[in-house]
């Protein structure tokens, strides 16, 4: 057999062209199947409320491992029409002011964070609300390259499948606002004794101010830093034009 009749496969073993094509087709089928299997829940959750999230499951496991039999997770999904319009804009003002404009990633913020890190500053987060929704809903907490890669992948799927209003609605319903308290309605009832529809601008700003670290930034016992951050968020909301900013 002439050398031109064979190709070298993995580990230097001869592999015929038909065999290589079959191998490539199988790889393509696996990749396509993986995309379909991961896109399907994203498509379903475009219309249905998420029954839970990756972070909520992780919190349940953490409570079980620690023997905390009294742990109760509080969360209730409510549509955006049952939320005060002050809350979504407060979340955007505090977390991701370019949310209506970008396609899942704020590359300017990422570049600025990397520049700060190069100058010796601690690497700060530059995640958008879309990225945080993807991470909280489908993944786990951590800083590994694998998790970040999956976060970027699910962010793309979400941005391609959901409108911005749905992304913000789901984020407001799965974000952690306190230990075991997930979502705007559970947080509003726990901290202010009323449903999310009754939140004021100040209360919405306090909830948004807790999101970077709800374990330390407590809505029910706001520190001076927390109060200053909430006041800053209220100013940002006014500068953005209020709830109307999200309907442009």
């Amino acid at each position: 057999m002439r050398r031109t009749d064979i190709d070298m496969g993995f580990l230097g073993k001869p592999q015929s062209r038909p065999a290589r094509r079959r191998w490539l087709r199988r790889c393509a089928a696996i990749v396509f199947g993986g995309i379909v299997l991961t896109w399907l829940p994203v498509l379903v959750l475009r219309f249905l409320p998420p029954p839970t999230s990756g972070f909520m499951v992780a919190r349940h496991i953490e409570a079980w491992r620690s023997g905390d039999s009294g742990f109760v997770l509080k969360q209730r999904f409510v549509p955006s029409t049952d939320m005060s319009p002050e809350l979504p804009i407060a979340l955007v003002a505090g977390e991701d002011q370019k949310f209506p404009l970008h396609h899942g990633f704020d590359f300017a913020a990422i570049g600025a964070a990397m520049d700060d890190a190069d100058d010796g500053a601690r690497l700060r987060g530059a995640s958008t609300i879309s990225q945080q929704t993807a991470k909280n809903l489908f993944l786990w907490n951590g800083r590994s390259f694998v998790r970040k890669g999956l976060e970027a992948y699910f962010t793309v799927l979400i941005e391609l499948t959901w409108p911005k209003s749905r992304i913000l609605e789901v984020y407001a319903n799965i974000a952690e606002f306190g230990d075991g308290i997930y979502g705007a309605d559970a947080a509003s009832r726990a901290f202010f004794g009323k449903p999310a529809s009754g939140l004021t601008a100040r209360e919405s700003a306090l909830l948004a101010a807790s999101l970077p670290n709800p374990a330390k930034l407590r809505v029910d016992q706001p520190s001076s830093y927390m109060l200053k951050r909430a006041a800053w968020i209220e100013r940002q909301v006014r500068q953005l034009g209020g709830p109307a900013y999200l309907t442009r």
Side-chain angles (χ1 to χ4, degrees):
M1 183 181 291
R2 293 178 300 174
R3 185 175 180 82
T4 55
D5 291 333
I6 62 172
D7 291 323
M8 296 303 291
F10 289 113
L11 303 178
K13 295 180 180 180
Q15 185 181 50
S16 67
R17 286 193 178 94
R20 186 176 67 176
R21 285 196 292 268
R22 286 196 298 271
W23 181 82
L24 291 174
R25 283 197 296 269
R26 288 171 184 168
C27 289
I30 291 172
V31 171
F32 179 76
I35 293 174
V36 171
L37 288 175
T38 50
W39 204 329
L40 183 59
V42 175
L43 180 60
V44 170
L45 295 177
R46 160 68 176 84
F47 305 100
L48 298 179
T52 186
S53 72
F55 273 39
M56 292 182 213
V57 171
R59 184 64 185 90
H60 271 300
I61 294 174
E62 179 185 343
W64 173 73
R65 286 181 173 176
S66 64
D68 186 3
S69 59
F71 173 76
V72 177
L73 189 146
K74 299 176 182 178
Q75 193 264 351
R76 176 174 174 265
F77 191 98
V78 296
S80 56
T81 52
D82 290 343
M83 295 181 197
S84 165
E86 299 292 347
L87 180 63
I89 186 60
L91 299 178
V92 168
E95 295 285 293
D96 179 11
Q97 295 188 10
K98 295 181 181 178
F99 175 72
L101 309 175
H102 63 61
H103 298 288
F105 306 93
D106 186 348
F107 294 105
I110 293 172
M114 294 180 66
D115 289 341
D116 289 344
D118 289 340
D119 293 337
R122 181 181 178 183
L123 183 61
R124 56 185 172 84
S127 294
T128 63
I129 285 177
S130 301
Q131 288 175 271
Q132 293 179 57
T133 303
K135 177 184 68 175
N136 291 2
L137 188 56
F138 295 110
L139 303 173
W140 62 93
N141 204 1
R143 295 182 176 273
S144 69
F145 287 110
V146 172
R147 193 200 62 76
K148 292 298 292 184
L150 289 172
E151 177 187 306
Y153 172 73
F154 276 105
T155 298
V156 171
L157 293 186
I158 285 174
E159 281 279 343
L160 288 174
T161 311
W162 299 359
K164 288 288 189 178
S165 58
R166 178 60 173 174
I167 296 174
L168 190 54
E169 180 180 61
V170 171
Y171 178 65
N173 274 285
I174 65 173
E176 182 182 10
F177 292 98
D179 185 26
I181 301 173
Y182 293 83
D185 194 68
S188 181
R189 292 177 187 276
F191 300 130
F192 307 116
K194 56 185 172 181
S197 59
L199 287 168
T200 65
R202 181 61 169 174
E203 292 164 345
S204 298
L206 278 170
L207 289 177
S210 72
L211 287 178
N213 192 345
K216 293 183 177 180
L217 301 176
R218 298 184 55 175
V219 178
D220 55 343
Q221 297 178 14
S223 62
S224 59
Y225 168 80
M226 178 88 162
L227 294 173
K228 289 178 182 178
R229 177 169 169 77
W232 176 83
I233 290 174
E234 287 190 271
R235 291 196 299 272
Q236 295 302 302
V237 167
R238 289 193 293 270
Q239 291 178 11
L240 291 173
Y245 176 69
L246 300 177
T247 60
R248 294 175 182 175

